[in-house]
């Protein structure tokens, strides 16, 4: 479907106009029915029709989850090569994990390659950082991993951001880099993040890391202690 709509969308648009159907998309988009709104957003985004982007952006703030996630995906499909920083995320007051995954998958599936990863990872918007972290992980972009732990980002209270940064870093970093960052940051993280980190350390045999885990194990919570003991033994 994606290949067909990219290659033939101009012809489909001509066909819609010739059949007198082009303006009916607007009626669907402004319908009181969420089903019709979703159909309209699929039509508009797959055919790359940008006439109603403001209305689609309005739906990204809907209380209806299905409508909201479809609007997120539609905006990514409609995103031009100039919107390399996913600017529409700035206007969203919050994103669920599902919303974030929908956006990331839409970027990956629609071959959006002109992304400013640095601006995402250094943004003032938490959700842009999360999307950036997930994108560099999925695209194996090791050259951006140093941006994940910039000093001004490490004191964030957002658990999902902390988890996303560590998940991406542990996927992209080599063993020595992983050990260095773990030694520096591990004790500052909440238990949920500590468990995520530890689950990725089982294959690392570094002596300094093992000594560090022995040293910090006693003062950890029960679940974290257990995971540390699994690594040590």
């Amino acid at each position: 479907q994606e290949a067909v709509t990219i290659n033939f969308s101009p012809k489909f648009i001509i066909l819609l106009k010739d059949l007198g159907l082009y303006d009916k998309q607007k009626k669907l988009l402004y319908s009181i029915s969420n089903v019709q709104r979703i159909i309209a957003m699929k039509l508009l985004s797959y055919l790359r029709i940008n006439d109603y982007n403001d209305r689609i952006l309005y739906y990204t703030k809907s209380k209806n989850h299905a409508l909201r996630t479809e609007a997120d995906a539609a905006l990514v499909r409609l995103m031009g090569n100039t919107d390399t920083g996913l600017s529409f995320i700035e206007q969203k007051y919050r994103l669920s994990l599902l919303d974030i995954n929908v956006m990331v998958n839409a970027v990956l599936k629609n071959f959006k390659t002109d992304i400013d990863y640095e601006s995402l990872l250094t943004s003032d918007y938490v959700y842009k950082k999360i999307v950036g972290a997930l994108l560099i992980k999925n695209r194996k972009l090791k050259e951006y991993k140093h941006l994940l732990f910039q000093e001004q980002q490490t004191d964030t209270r957002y658990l999902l951001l902390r988890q996303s940064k560590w998940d991406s870093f542990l996927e992209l970093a080599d063993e020595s880099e992983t050990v260095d960052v773990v030694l520096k940051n591990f004790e500052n993280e909440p238990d949920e993040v500590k468990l995520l980190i530890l689950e990725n350390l089982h294959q690392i045999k570094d002596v300094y890391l093992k000594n560090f885990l022995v040293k910090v194990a006693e003062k950890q919570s029960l679940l974290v202690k257990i995971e540390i003991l699994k690594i040590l033994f």
Side-chain angles (χ1 to χ4, degrees):
Q1 181 186 35
E2 183 63 21
V4 168
T5 51
I6 288 176
N7 294 329
F8 295 101
S9 61
K11 294 182 180 180
F12 278 123
I13 292 172
I14 292 171
L15 183 62
L16 285 171
K17 290 180 177 178
D18 286 348
L19 294 174
L21 299 174
Y22 188 88
D23 292 333
K24 292 186 182 297
Q25 295 175 100
K26 182 176 181 180
K27 293 181 180 179
L28 288 174
L29 187 65
Y30 283 81
S31 168
I32 62 172
S33 164
N34 284 331
V35 173
Q36 292 190 357
R37 291 171 176 175
I38 289 172
I39 291 172
M41 287 191 285
K42 285 186 180 292
L43 278 168
L44 292 164
S45 61
Y46 277 112
L47 296 180
R48 303 302 191 266
I49 297 172
N50 289 284
D51 297 359
Y52 307 106
N53 285 16
D54 288 344
R55 185 64 179 182
I56 295 174
L57 181 63
Y58 172 77
Y59 289 145
T60 67
K61 299 176 182 177
S62 169
K63 293 182 179 179
N64 183 287
H65 210 152
L67 187 67
R68 190 168 74 239
T69 53
E70 185 57 45
D72 290 334
L75 284 175
V76 173
R77 294 186 203 110
L78 291 166
M79 185 177 72
N81 290 334
T82 56
D83 189 9
T84 60
L86 302 175
S87 62
F88 69 92
I89 296 178
E90 299 171 8
Q91 302 180 54
K92 290 182 68 76
Y93 59 97
R94 63 182 177 83
L95 288 172
S96 69
L97 184 58
L98 176 60
D99 295 329
I100 292 166
N101 284 329
V102 165
M103 284 186 195
V104 170
N105 287 329
V107 170
L108 298 174
K109 289 179 180 178
N110 290 277
F111 310 108
K112 301 292 185 180
T113 54
D114 295 322
I115 301 294
D116 188 347
Y117 301 102
E118 183 171 350
S119 75
L120 291 177
L121 293 168
T122 59
S123 170
D124 293 330
Y125 295 92
V126 169
Y127 297 114
K128 293 186 82 166
K129 293 177 184 177
I130 296 172
V131 169
L134 293 177
L135 284 175
I136 67 168
K137 173 193 170 184
N138 281 280
R139 287 185 165 162
K140 311 295 184 187
L141 300 174
K142 295 183 178 183
E143 62 269 31
Y144 294 102
K145 66 179 180 293
H146 68 283
L147 296 173
L148 292 167
F149 288 101
Q150 284 192 330
E151 189 173 357
Q152 64 266 33
Q153 295 182 23
T154 56
D155 62 350
T156 178
R157 292 172 294 173
Y158 291 92
L159 180 61
L160 184 57
L161 175 58
R162 286 175 174 264
Q163 291 172 317
S164 301
K165 290 197 306 179
W166 274 105
D167 187 43
S168 296
F169 182 81
L170 293 169
E171 176 73 24
L172 299 172
D174 59 33
E175 182 171 308
S176 62
E177 291 173 319
T178 298
V179 171
D180 288 344
V181 175
V182 169
L183 295 180
K184 180 179 178 181
N185 296 306
F186 180 82
E187 293 192 83
N188 297 322
E189 298 294 350
D191 283 357
E192 295 91 340
V193 178
K194 287 178 179 176
L195 287 170
L196 183 153
I197 296 167
L198 292 169
E199 287 166 3
N200 287 272
L201 300 183
H202 283 266
Q203 303 305 315
I204 296 179
K205 307 300 182 184
D206 184 88
V207 174
Y208 291 105
L209 177 64
K210 296 295 176 66
N211 290 338
F212 171 77
L213 293 177
V214 170
K215 179 182 176 181
V216 301
E218 187 175 351
K219 56 184 177 182
Q220 303 303 317
S221 67
L222 181 59
L223 289 177
V224 175
K225 266 183 191 172
I226 291 172
E227 197 63 36
I228 290 175
L229 292 173
K230 286 181 184 178
I231 294 173
L232 295 177
F233 293 100

